[in-house]
């Protein structure tokens, strides 16, 4: 049974940084991708960043490029999202996802992922 558990969320002032972690248990990397999504109440879940571990390819939403970095520790089965220069509009529930597409064009579609964590809240105040 696959379980994804996020941690590292919290409250921070604009301009600050947070690092989210996602611990994956029972998950076998078959060459697919992992990602971070976020969601604000009343809005659709949006892709933040994706990592295709086999090739190291990454994708980012335009709104976070240059500020966020996705990475992983294969030995520890951990996925990270380093978030710098945070803005109030980054406030959301952040979700870890696994079993995602290997085709970059589909990385931002939640329906393309097989596994999801419960989320961790990030709140950025101005």
């Amino acid at each position: 049974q696959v379980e994804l558990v996020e941690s590292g969320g919290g409250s921070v002032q604009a301009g600050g940084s947070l690092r989210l972690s996602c611990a994956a248990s029972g998950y076998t990397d078959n060459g697919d991708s992992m990602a971070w999504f976020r969601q604000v109440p009343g809005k659709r879940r949006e892709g933040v960043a994706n990592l295709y571990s086999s090739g190291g390819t990454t994708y980012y939403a335009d709104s976070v490029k240059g500020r966020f970095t996705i990475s992983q520790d294969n030995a520890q089965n951990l996925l990270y999202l380093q978030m710098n220069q945070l803005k109030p509009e980054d406030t959301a529930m952040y979700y870890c996802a696994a079993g995602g597409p290997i085709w970059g064009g589909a990385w931002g579609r939640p329906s393309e992922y097989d596994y999801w964590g419960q989320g961790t809240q990030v709140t950025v105040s101005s």
Side-chain angles (χ1 to χ4, degrees):
Q1 183 176 350
V2 175
E3 185 178 26
L4 304 177
V5 179
E6 303 95 335
S7 61
S11 297
V12 65
Q13 288 192 325
S17 298
L18 285 173
R19 189 176 81 157
L20 305 184
S21 299
C22 172
S25 60
Y27 174 67
T28 301
D29 183 353
N30 293 316
D32 47 22
S33 63
M34 297 184 72
W36 290 96
F37 282 74
R38 65 187 181 188
Q39 189 170 24
V40 176
K43 294 190 176 182
R44 66 178 181 86
R45 192 167 294 189
E46 65 168 348
V48 175
N50 171 282
L51 173 64
Y52 175 38
S53 60
S54 295
T57 304
T58 57
Y59 299 93
Y60 294 94
D62 288 342
S63 59
V64 307
K65 281 180 182 176
R67 300 188 298 121
F68 291 10
T69 303
I70 187 171
S71 62
Q72 69 180 141
D73 180 337
N74 285 327
Q76 299 293 328
N77 250 12
L78 290 167
L79 182 73
Y80 300 107
L81 184 68
Q82 178 66 44
M83 306 186 294
N84 299 327
Q85 301 171 48
L86 283 161
K87 304 176 181 180
E89 50 264 44
D90 295 318
T91 296
M93 183 72 79
Y94 283 72
Y95 298 90
C96 173
I102 61 172
W103 174 53
W107 79 266
R109 300 175 191 166
S111 60
E112 296 288 336
Y113 294 80
D114 296 326
Y115 309 105
W116 292 88
Q118 293 300 306
T120 185
Q121 177 67 36
V122 171
T123 302
V124 184
S125 58
S126 57

